[in-house]
Amino acid sequence: RFGLKKQPVSAFIALGANLGDAPATLRWALGAIAALTGTRLVRSSSLYRSAPIDSSGPDYINAVAEVATTLHAPALLAALQQIELAAGRERPYRNAPRTLDLDILLYGDASIHSPHLQVPHPRMGERAFVLVPLAEIAPVRVSAAQLAAVQGQAITRLG
């Protein structure tokens, strides 16, 4: 079948929201991701609060999830975008406040550079709201130097 691999790949997905009930939306999104065809939620980080970067609006709630998926990366991206739409995501302008944002950070060891998808995510190393939750669930994926580079960005672990 198109869009499916034979063996599951480990992928890491960043979740973020700053409109509506963001914690509830992220919990809902984790369930929706776990329900994707050929996809199993392996683990997810705690929820974190962070100030918007290159954006505006209220603070963001962020998390990172690891999935094992047989979806090819473009099919996974398309499925994540459908989840965003189901959560009311609109894209009125670049970096607008959002009800839900889902980004593929890592897809196995793949390096993907297409007009629609770049993996590893090109800005993940610049953002505490990605690196801190990623380090929580997959410490081998984040170096001490990467964490040191973002230590000035305020991020708070929730409950």
Side-chain angles (χ1 to χ4, degrees), residues 50-156:
S50 64
I53 295 179
D54 299 330
S55 183
S56 61
D59 284 353
Y60 276 83
I61 304 300
N62 298 98
V64 170
E66 179 184 4
V67 297
T69 186
T70 55
L71 292 172
H72 287 283
L76 177 60
L77 177 63
L80 295 176
Q81 289 173 338
Q82 287 301 310
I83 293 170
E84 288 177 341
L85 285 174
R89 171 76 188 262
E90 296 177 355
R91 298 173 189 267
Y93 54 90
R94 183 170 164 76
N95 295 327
R98 55 206 65 164
T99 54
L100 182 62
D101 185 30
L102 302 173
D103 289 322
I104 299 172
L105 301 174
L106 301 165
Y107 183 84
D109 293 324
S111 181
I112 303 167
H113 299 284
S114 78
H116 304 289
L117 179 61
Q118 292 192 21
V119 175
H121 191 284
R123 291 173 302 284
M124 67 183 272
E126 304 166 10
R127 297 176 168 170
F129 66 80
V130 170
L131 293 176
V132 172
L134 179 59
E136 178 190 330
I137 63 169
V140 299
R141 296 289 193 150
V142 182
S143 71
Q146 286 176 304
L147 288 172
V150 298
Q151 69 184 3
Q153 296 175 24
I155 182 167
T156 305

